Amino acid sequence: MKRGIKSYLAFTSGFYRWILFVLAPLAAVGFQAVLAIIARRGGHTTGEELSEFWMLETILMFGSSMVLMMAEILLDGRAFGGIAVKRGSSLDCIKASSRGRELMRTALRMDMIRMFLESAAVVLLGRTAWTFFGGVAGLWDLWGICVVSAAVVCQYFVTVTALLIVRHFDYLGITVCAACFAYQILGVFAVLTTMNCYVMMAVFTVLSVAVSFFSQWKIMRRVEESFYDK
């Protein structure tokens, strides 16, 4: 595990770590806390009344996931940008090392683990903010836990899918377009989750596992090809 973390950090800069590991999660959780405080102090929503607005709260919870997701996609160029571009120079340092392939494989795996855990932490803390700052009861029943799980796997799936696409290009415009498109898709998933979170959780758990393995395989295939200048 220690070696895996070192392999991953070797691809990241201080700026990347500061934004994605600290500022983006704090902004996402703070977004939820501020909304909860405003809703409670508005006068028209007490803790009991606010519980009736679970649909709105669910969509807002996805909002905090969107903050983190946008940061992940827009900053990916600082770590793995363009690594799957054919005839690109992003893999030159990997090709020069005898352990390059294993280093890349481990770094990609750790990146996905980090994304999932960070997403789960942000969603859980955001949900907790509504309990403590918004005075909302009933957020941790079976439905509430299912909503949290669905939010995590949906955000993870959309993020990994978007990153798989942008890593095949070396243009900022493609990255920005992918981030905007992912934002819209996650918004649709937020609405669908309010309708049936059990189905969303089950479907996107399977899809998240599938896209994780496919993304790892696809990028590593490009790495292997780069050693033969394909």
Side-chain angles (χ1 to χ4, degrees), residues 1 108-118 156:
M1 178 62 72
L108 289 171
R109 188 181 301 120
M110 293 302 298
D111 185 50
M112 287 189 285
I113 292 173
R114 193 269 310 162
M115 275 193 290
F116 181 82
L117 293 178
E118 191 170 334
Y156 176 81

Side-chain angles (χ1 to χ4, degrees), residues 9-219:
L9 294 180
F11 285 87
T12 63
S13 64
F15 177 80
Y16 177 91
R17 293 193 292 269
W18 179 248
I19 297 295
L20 271 187
F21 299 176
V22 180
L23 293 184
L26 287 178
V29 175
F31 172 74
Q32 292 293 313
V34 170
L35 288 177
I37 293 172
I38 292 175
R40 189 171 190 178
R41 291 183 177 180
H44 56 81
T45 52
T46 62
E48 292 75 14
E49 292 169 341
L50 193 58
S51 297
E52 300 175 1
F53 294 89
W54 57 268
M55 181 180 294
L56 176 61
E57 189 276 331
T58 298
I59 295 176
L60 292 176
M61 183 181 65
F62 269 81
S64 64
S65 295
M66 291 176 182
V67 172
L68 186 60
M69 179 190 68
M70 295 289 282
E72 293 276 7
I73 298 172
L74 293 175
L75 287 175
D76 187 67
R78 291 274 182 168
F80 301 101
I83 59 174
V85 177
K86 286 190 174 182
R87 300 180 181 85
S89 59
S90 299
L91 291 174
D92 287 350
C93 61
I94 299 298
K95 294 163 64 175
S97 172
S98 60
R99 296 184 57 250
R101 304 181 200 191
E102 184 59 32
L103 182 67
M104 174 62 76
R105 182 179 293 106
T106 303
L108 289 171
R109 188 181 301 120
M110 293 302 298
D111 185 50
M112 287 189 285
I113 292 173
R114 193 269 310 162
M115 275 193 290
F116 181 82
L117 293 178
E118 191 170 334
S119 173
V122 165
V123 172
L124 287 171
L125 290 174
R127 192 77 163 181
T128 302
W130 281 91
T131 302
F132 286 97
F133 297 110
V136 185
L139 291 180
W140 297 105
D141 54 11
L142 182 60
W143 178 269
I145 294 174
C146 179
V147 167
V148 167
S149 301
V152 172
V153 293
C154 283
Q155 189 248 313
Y156 176 81
F157 170 78
V158 175
T159 303
V160 173
T161 302
L163 292 180
L164 177 61
I165 294 173
V166 301
R167 287 171 181 174
H168 282 78
F169 300 92
D170 198 17
Y171 301 104
L172 179 60
I174 297 293
T175 301
V176 173
C177 289
C180 293
F181 187 67
Y183 179 89
Q184 299 295 329
I185 293 296
L186 192 58
V188 173
F189 289 164
V191 175
L192 293 177
T193 298
T194 64
M195 299 178 183
N196 195 325
C197 70
Y198 300 108
V199 172
M200 292 296 288
M201 181 187 68
V203 170
F204 281 92
T205 296
V206 175
L207 290 178
S208 293
V209 173
V211 78
S212 295
F213 281 103
F214 179 75
S215 177
Q216 176 91 354
W217 171 80
K218 189 69 171 64
I219 297 298

